[in-house]
């Protein structure tokens, strides 16, 4: 049999199209059917490169007997967490009331209105202590719904109300330099001084945390903590976490960075490209960029979301087997599949990374790849009204709405592309998108229709939180001269979460990075020249600055005419470099030797 998943735009859902489970995609039809039958919803959330999602699919969802139990007692919904991050976040938050072992696959049981009364992650087909068999879980949940329904509904309502209360935040003052230095030192206390990185097993790259440690403020106020970022990158780059082709795996299951979880994510690699750039590790930067452009880039220019951990070798599914072969032996093997979903915000991360790194390292092909991705996303990832959507696949736009982080991350990527190319049109579009993110997006309409709060969690996961993404793009807009209201937009979001961020810095690296950028006055370099590859422009690209813009006189005027005040009056005097601190510029210079490289 085939279910309703075959025609969806998610490779993860399509992989379950032939299951005997009568799956529904996320949508109102499933909710209506659950209410008609008066049975619970079973919501299964995962993603296409998730190893344990594949395992549970083979063991349980492909099993006719297990599927019969699901079809008889539940309405089953399959959700791609990468396509519906708001849904994943809401149910992950609800699941935390029932288990501390959170992850994917996430298995959630809800009332017909979508309110959670029980949840877990992977369950095996047969009991393995301490895990019960999945069929036993199904039977117990069915019994709870039919015999103790009032208790189940009361529990579901309590979880929903608790999450709604948790979404409220208490603003505080912006952290000062001393508070940010102390936060960095707190992070550094978790450093694994033997193997590099932070914490024990499993060990993640934590790119957002590394980015905080690399800020000028932390380098100045907490140099020992800042040095930990370089040590972590060096350890990861030299370890099994990094494939021979230059791309990084999701995480290592062992403290010494061995036995990786072999999926490779766009999010991790885009952010680690910037970590490598800021660390001066050009070899690692080139390897990551090669992976992004050579493996994850899709036809048309967008970037796929991830490369799978599994592949077919000698007729069998092998987790990691492809990556364990030397590169010279891989040519004859089918490589692990790439999830071709072009996710709006994730592509924003890639655009920013390739634009910045390409400009700094003189790799024009990386900048062009960033521009191609930007054009693709802005053209394809839209609904019939022109609004951005979450993702697309093979040129078809998803029905899932874009998140606040999607829009903000894309905006920040376009700002970086404007700086790398000198083309103001990218900054104008970035500012327009950022304004919509600042105003606020509605989020998933089905969650809202059923009174289910989005996750209150504003910590970093594998990418910046919604609040941090908006704050970061707003800070960039202000630094480019878009106006003081953008600085205030950044500061407002930092204030909303500052108390929690300072007390839990490891989980709020992105937001604290913005806070550091609000404390220190920005250094802005604008070089006006007809020779983009000349000596003056080349010197500026190696400088330590928050904004580096190489523009022609015509481009400088275009930025100024578009309302970016940093460029006002800077296109009239021949080849000149303007070294500015918070918009106060020194006398321009034309000799590269007169341009300071450090702050």
């Amino acid at each position: 049999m085939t279910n309703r998943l075959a025609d969806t735009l998610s490779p993860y859902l399509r992989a379950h199209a032939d299951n005997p489970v009568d799956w529904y995609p996320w949508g109102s039809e499933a909710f209506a059917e659950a209410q008609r039958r008066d049975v619970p919803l079973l919501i299964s959330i995962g993603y296409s490169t998730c190893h344990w999602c594949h395992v549970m699919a083979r063991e349980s969802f492909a099993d006719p007997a297990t599927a019969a139990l699901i079809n008889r007692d539940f309405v089953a919904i399959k959700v791609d967490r990468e396509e519906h991050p708001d849904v994943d976040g809401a149910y992950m938050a609800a699941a935390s009331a029932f288990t501390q072992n959170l992850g994917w696959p996430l298995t959630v049981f809800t009332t017909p209105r979508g309110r959670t009364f029980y949840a877990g992650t992977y369950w095996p087909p047969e009991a393995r202590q301490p895990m019960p068999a999945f069929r036993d879980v199904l039977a117990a949940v069915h019994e709870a719904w039919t015999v103790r329904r009032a208790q189940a509904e009361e529990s579901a309502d309590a979880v929903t109300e608790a999450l709604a209360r948790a979404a409220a935040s208490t603003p505080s003052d912006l952290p000062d330099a001393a508070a940010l230095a102390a936060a960095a030192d707190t992070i550094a206390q978790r450093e694994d001084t033997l193997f590099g990185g932070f914490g024990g097993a499993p060990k993640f790259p934590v790119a957002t945390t590394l980015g905080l440690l690399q800020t000028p403020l932390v380098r100045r106020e907490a140099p020992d903590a800042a040095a930990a970022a370089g040590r972590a990158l060096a350890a990861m780059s030299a370890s099994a976490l990094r494939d021979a082709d230059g791309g990084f795996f999701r995480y290592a299951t062992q403290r010494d960075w061995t036995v990786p979880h072999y999926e490779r994510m766009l999010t991790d690699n885009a952010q680690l490209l910037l970590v490598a750039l800021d660390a001066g590790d050009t070899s690692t930067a080139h390897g990551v960029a090669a992976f992004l452009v050579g493996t994850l880039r899709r036809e048309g220019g967008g970037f796929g979301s991830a490369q799978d951990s599994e592949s077919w070798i000698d007729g069998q599914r092998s987790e990691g087997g492809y990556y364990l072969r030397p590169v010279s032996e891989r040519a004859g093997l089918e490589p692990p599949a790439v999830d071709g979903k072009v996710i709006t915000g994730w592509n924003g991360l890639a655009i920013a990374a390739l634009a910045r790194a390409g400009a700094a390292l003189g790799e024009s092909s990386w900048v062009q790849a960033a521009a191609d991705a930007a054009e693709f996303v802005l053209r394809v990832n839209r609904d019939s009204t022109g609004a951005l959507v979450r993702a697309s696949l093979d040129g078809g736009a998803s029905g899932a709405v874009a998140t606040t982080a999607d829009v903000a991350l894309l905006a920040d990527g376009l700002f970086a592309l404007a700086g790398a190319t000198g083309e103001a049109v990218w900054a104008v579009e970035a500012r327009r998108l950022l304004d919509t993110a600042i105003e606020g997006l509605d989020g998933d309409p089905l969650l809202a229709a059923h009174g289910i709060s989005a996750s209150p969690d504003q910590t970093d996961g594998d990418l910046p939180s919604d609040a941090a993404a908006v704050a970061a793009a707003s800070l960039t807009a202000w630094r480019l001269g878009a106006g003081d209201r953008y600085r205030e937009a950044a500061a407002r979001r930092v204030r909303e979460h500052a108390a929690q961020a300072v007390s839990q810095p490891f989980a709020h690296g992105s937001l604290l990075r913005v806070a550091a950028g609000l404390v220190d006055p920005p250094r802005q370099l604008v070089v006006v020249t007809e020779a983009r590859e000349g000596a003056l422009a080349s010197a500026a690209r190696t400088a330590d600055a928050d904004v580096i813009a190489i523009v022609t006189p015509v481009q400088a005027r275009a930025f100024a005419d578009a309302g970016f005040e940093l460029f006002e009056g800077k296109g009239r005097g021949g080849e000149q470099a303007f070294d500015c601190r918070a918009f106060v510029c020194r006398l321009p210079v034309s000799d590269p030797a007169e341009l300071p490289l450090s702050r």
Side-chain angles (χ1 to χ4, degrees):
M1 65 174 284
T2 57
N3 49 48
R4 300 164 188 81
L5 305 185
D7 295 328
T8 63
L9 287 177
S10 163
Y12 175 62
L13 267 60
R14 290 181 181 182
H16 291 79
D18 293 326
N19 288 169
V21 176
D22 189 20
W23 292 114
Y24 286 77
W26 177 257
S28 58
E29 184 183 359
F31 279 69
E33 179 64 9
Q35 291 168 18
R36 185 189 70 80
R37 290 177 52 195
D38 195 29
V39 297
L41 290 163
L42 186 163
I43 303 176
S44 175
I45 304 175
Y47 56 104
S48 67
T49 59
C50 165
H51 172 65
W52 286 102
C53 300
H54 298 328
V55 173
M56 191 166 181
R58 289 192 291 264
E59 293 176 341
S60 295
F61 300 140
D63 175 57
T66 303
L69 294 176
I70 295 173
N71 296 339
R72 185 191 70 190
D73 297 331
F74 304 91
V75 169
I77 300 178
K78 178 61 73 173
V79 178
D80 184 337
R81 70 173 291 256
E82 295 175 351
E83 187 177 19
H84 293 280
D86 285 351
V87 176
D88 176 56
Y91 285 114
M92 186 65 75
S96 67
F98 302 95
T99 178
Q100 294 181 337
N101 298 317
L102 298 172
W104 300 276
L106 181 63
T107 310
V108 184
F109 299 93
T110 81
T111 68
R113 293 188 299 154
R115 300 190 169 200
T116 305
F117 65 90
Y118 189 62
T121 53
Y122 164 82
W123 280 298
E126 305 295 336
R128 302 174 198 159
Q129 290 300 323
M131 293 185 290
F134 183 49
R135 286 198 220 173
D136 293 339
V137 172
L138 294 173
V141 171
H142 172 64
E143 180 185 7
W145 181 253
T146 55
V147 177
R148 298 182 299 278
R149 177 166 176 167
Q151 183 179 346
E153 290 182 328
E154 181 180 350
S155 174
D157 289 342
V159 170
T160 302
E161 292 165 6
L163 292 174
R165 290 193 300 271
S169 60
T170 303
S172 61
D173 293 335
L174 289 174
D176 59 14
L180 291 167
D185 286 334
T186 297
I187 291 170
Q189 289 171 10
R190 296 180 59 177
E191 183 183 13
D192 182 342
T193 57
L194 182 59
F195 295 110
F198 302 92
K203 188 176 280 186
F204 288 81
V206 292
T208 56
T209 301
L210 299 181
L212 166 63
L213 298 181
Q214 291 180 311
T215 59
L217 185 149
V218 174
R219 294 201 309 263
R220 182 183 70 247
E221 303 290 339
D224 290 342
R231 290 191 291 268
L233 179 68
M236 291 187 293
S237 296
S239 76
L241 188 73
R242 186 180 180 215
D243 187 47
D245 70 359
F248 283 90
F249 299 114
R250 182 70 187 94
Y251 64 88
T253 62
Q254 304 301 311
R255 177 188 164 196
D256 62 356
W257 298 110
T258 58
V259 195
H261 192 63
Y262 287 101
E263 61 186 308
R264 299 199 286 181
M265 312 298 294
L266 175 60
T267 49
D268 295 324
N269 282 279
Q271 292 175 98
L272 286 170
L273 173 54
L274 287 182
V275 170
L277 177 69
D278 290 343
D281 186 345
T282 58
S283 175
T284 296
H286 276 85
V288 175
F291 167 68
L292 294 176
V293 174
T295 299
L296 291 188
R297 185 164 59 169
R298 303 290 87 194
E299 183 178 355
F303 290 91
S305 62
Q307 186 175 29
D308 207 336
S309 62
E310 296 186 1
S311 63
W312 290 98
I313 297 180
D314 298 330
Q316 294 184 331
R317 292 292 286 176
S318 170
E319 203 225 343
Y322 177 87
Y323 303 109
L324 291 170
R325 301 286 182 95
V327 172
S328 60
E329 296 181 12
R330 294 181 187 179
L333 297 176
E334 179 183 348
V338 171
D339 185 330
K341 288 196 311 300
V342 177
I343 297 175
T344 297
W346 297 16
N347 272 253
L349 288 171
I351 292 164
L354 289 167
R356 269 194 57 200
L361 300 179
E363 295 288 347
S364 60
S365 64
W366 300 359
V367 178
Q368 186 59 53
D372 291 344
E375 290 174 352
F376 181 92
V377 172
L378 291 172
R379 183 180 73 253
V380 177
N381 287 26
R382 295 189 183 275
D383 64 16
S384 59
T385 71
L388 283 173
V389 298
R390 168 67 174 173
S392 63
L393 181 70
D394 299 332
S398 166
V401 298
T403 67
T404 299
D406 281 327
V407 178
L409 290 172
L410 179 59
D412 215 21
L414 298 182
F415 281 133
L417 188 56
T421 62
E423 296 294 340
V425 292
W426 295 118
V428 171
E429 178 63 13
R431 183 178 58 195
R432 188 190 69 79
L433 291 175
L434 176 57
D435 285 344
T436 66
I438 291 172
E439 292 168 6
L441 280 70
D442 293 334
D444 185 86
L446 196 56
L447 290 176
H450 288 82
I452 302 170
S453 298
S455 172
D457 187 9
Q458 287 296 327
T459 60
D460 293 333
D462 47 8
L463 74 169
S465 67
D466 283 3
V470 174
S474 299
L475 180 64
T476 302
W478 172 66
R479 286 170 168 172
L480 283 171
D484 285 343
R485 73 184 185 92
Y486 291 99
R487 187 187 189 282
E488 178 51 35
R492 183 166 63 251
R493 278 154 184 81
V494 173
R495 289 190 196 99
E496 287 173 354
H497 305 284
Q500 184 180 20
V502 169
S503 65
Q504 300 175 5
F506 198 83
H508 295 85
S510 296
L511 194 79
L512 293 175
R513 183 181 175 92
V514 176
L518 292 169
V519 170
D520 276 354
R523 184 187 185 195
Q524 302 139 309
L525 287 181
V526 178
V527 177
V528 182
T529 179
E530 296 286 359
R532 292 184 58 84
E533 304 305 321
L536 189 61
S538 297
R541 289 190 181 99
T542 64
D544 182 10
D546 301 295
V547 173
I548 300 175
I550 316 296
V551 293
T552 66
V554 171
Q555 289 174 330
R557 288 192 291 273
F559 271 100
D561 291 345
F564 293 91
E565 64 181 48
L566 176 63
F567 297 85
E568 289 181 1
K570 292 184 173 67
R572 302 170 186 159
E575 183 175 75
Q576 293 179 318
F578 297 83
D579 187 359
C580 312
R581 312 300 165 104
F583 304 97
V584 177
C585 302
R586 300 175 179 176
L587 290 174
V589 300
S590 297
D591 183 352
E594 296 180 9
L595 184 64
L597 299 184
S598 64
R599 292 177 185 256

